[in-house]
Amino acid sequence: MTEKPTMPGPTMIEFRDVQKYYGDYHALRGITAEIRAGEFFSLLGPSGCGKTTLLRTIAGFESISSGVVLIDGKDMAQVPANQRPTNMVFQSYAIFPHLTVAENVGFGLRREAGSREDKARRVTEALEMVGLKGYGARAAHALSGGQRQRVALARALILKPKVLLLDEPLSALDKKMRENMQVELIKLQRQVGITFILVTHDQEEALVMSDRIAVMFEGQIAQLDDPETLYRRPKTRQVADFIGTMNFLPAEVAAQTNEGYSVDVAGLGRCEITEAQAPGAPTGGPASVGFRPETLTILYEGQTTSDRVSEGTVEEVVYYGDMTYYDVKLDGIDTPVRLSMRNLPGRPVLDIRTRTRVSWSPGALVLFR
Amino acid sequence: MSIGGLFSRIGRSEAASGLAMISPPAIYAILLLAAPLVTILLYSFLTDGYLEIIRQFTLCNYFGPCGTYKMVEGELVQQAQFKGAWSDPLFLTVMLRSLYVSLGVTIATVFLSFPVAYFVSFHVEPSKKSLWLFLITIPFWTSYLIRVFLWKVILGYNGVINSALLGLGIIDEPLQVINYNVGAVIVTLAHAYAPFAILPIFVALEKIDRSLLEAGQDLGESSFTTFLRVTLPLAMPGVVAAVLIVFIPTIGDFVTPQLVGGPEGRLVANLIQLQYLKLDNYPLGSAMAVSAMAVVTAVSLCFLFLNRRFLRGPQS
């Protein structure tokens, strides 16, 4: 999570009912959103959801069929890609193979004013910023994946854009490298203070790095929120399912109360759910509730709780080292629910077919339409 | 040993199986390329005889006055005199003209082929690219000779161009400057070699990652300056290949200059042909052929050297 205090700056990018057709295919279906200056913003979604198309409309590589894209208050309709105040880190990094590292980083400086020495100094500084000091004279094609990415970053940031666009920049790196680069990117963004817009299909990456995330499905933004709200209060089952793991149980809204809803949940009984736990604004009738694996706790021998308790049988155990995931079939529910426990001292890993008690709280449930 | 046993033995060693695989083409190349080349090289240092070649070493076929000899009672008797290749002003003139024509053909071909290759690579739908390449090779379905004759028909005194211009009233009598000269040779050869230039340039353009072009624009360059700074340097290996593929064979072409070149359009290959067939002077013909090869090699190496920075492999 980002510890950075959220400073809601002025609007940097605004989409007003942006539509995009490729022939008959409706790629963007009415995108309306605002991205604030200085924000680390992520477009998250499965492949084909339109997130890359949306990013490319900001860069100017895609024209839009209708609607308006504003960058820093200016309509971009007539502004070609090479005149927009944006720079991009491409998924393939797009490092020019015929140039050296320094020539790559300095590529965009040709059009800027300034002496040769001044530009060379800026290139050196940019390389230093991304941790590639002394690599300037190397041939670009002799770099590793992580180094290429740093060159791509330096090449984009040296031009001091208002917005930096990142198209799945970490997807080609291995896990360890990716985690390091995530932290480095966050630090870099705080250091330069530029608006970063990241496209990713990796929900974990989006949660770790972003100030706010727009979750997209089929050309529409399903939910736009900060990572915590998105994780704890997803508006739809689709969003809940895409971000992290969530258990779903069928439910019936029995009554609307002053505070929220009285819901009959299959296998768990009557639960009182607050308005805040139902961001999707359900009406009466059939619905479903969801809960995250970590909101359920196994009660070991002699442990007591003020929460509600259900009993069940362990059906599957998945050991992760620091965590263990259990699939537990609770009495009265057909499908097993998944729960996670930290492996602390005094918490033995349970065996399959063990009978166990599980505590849960109605306050951790999310009600879906 | 049975055949199967032989194959299994060959299969065991990777080097042996590699050799086995390249030996048929290697033998073919040695017999049909290397051997004739060596023969020509040897001939160029021998003495011309009357209806024979006298096995006596000499450099006079290259430099300086030379003669045709006849063996008379164990003694060599000079029968005729001729000039060695490099001391013959005619050879030097024709060699220079050949270079000039080949360079002209190369420049015209590559300049005209690049837009075609660029169009097919960048503006044709991927599913239609092979169709386009197929269409580009259609001229090869007719014989080279027929294509040259067609240019004769197009450029001739009563040819397509002249009749059209006459019919339109633009000229009063047929133009004679468009046929039987160096220009006609260049036009004909440029057309004949176009596919050889289009294909390597197309391949080089196809290999360019399209996101590099977007990166160029993203970094502030227009489409045109992106072309100059990104596309063109990355296409250079293909352009260099096209230049060599066109330049090297055109300097040895003798059919086109013979048919459309007229007296002023004769090239070095025609001169060599003359020595071999009409004048029966194999040593001088060989010396001219070796000289022409040396010139082509020297020009090609200079060209490669000038373009060395575009040709560095990704490993260097």
Side-chain angles (χ1 to χ4, degrees), chain B residues 90-103 182 262-268:
Chain B
L90 177 69
F91 174 77
L92 294 179
T93 312
V94 174
M95 187 71 235
L96 268 180
R97 187 196 295 154
S98 297
L99 267 181
Y100 152 77
V101 168
S102 291
L103 288 174
V182 169
E264 289 305 307
R266 297 292 157 90
L267 301 183
V268 70

Side-chain angles (χ1 to χ4, degrees), chain A residues 160-179:
Chain A
K160 302 194 168 66
K162 286 180 178 161
V163 181
L164 182 74
L165 308 170
L166 302 130
D167 185 7
E168 308 228 13
L170 306 177
S171 59
L173 305 179
D174 61 56
K175 191 173 186 314
K176 201 90 191 162
M177 185 73 141
R178 190 156 64 225
E179 284 167 0

Side-chain angles (χ1 to χ4, degrees), chain B residues 3 19 37 41 49 58 64 66 153 175 210 230 233 235 242 258 260 273:
Chain B
I3 300 273
L19 270 180
L37 272 177
L41 194 67
T58 177
C66 211
V153 171
L175 294 173
R210 298 305 191 254
V230 182
Q258 180 100 37
V260 301
Q273 185 197 18

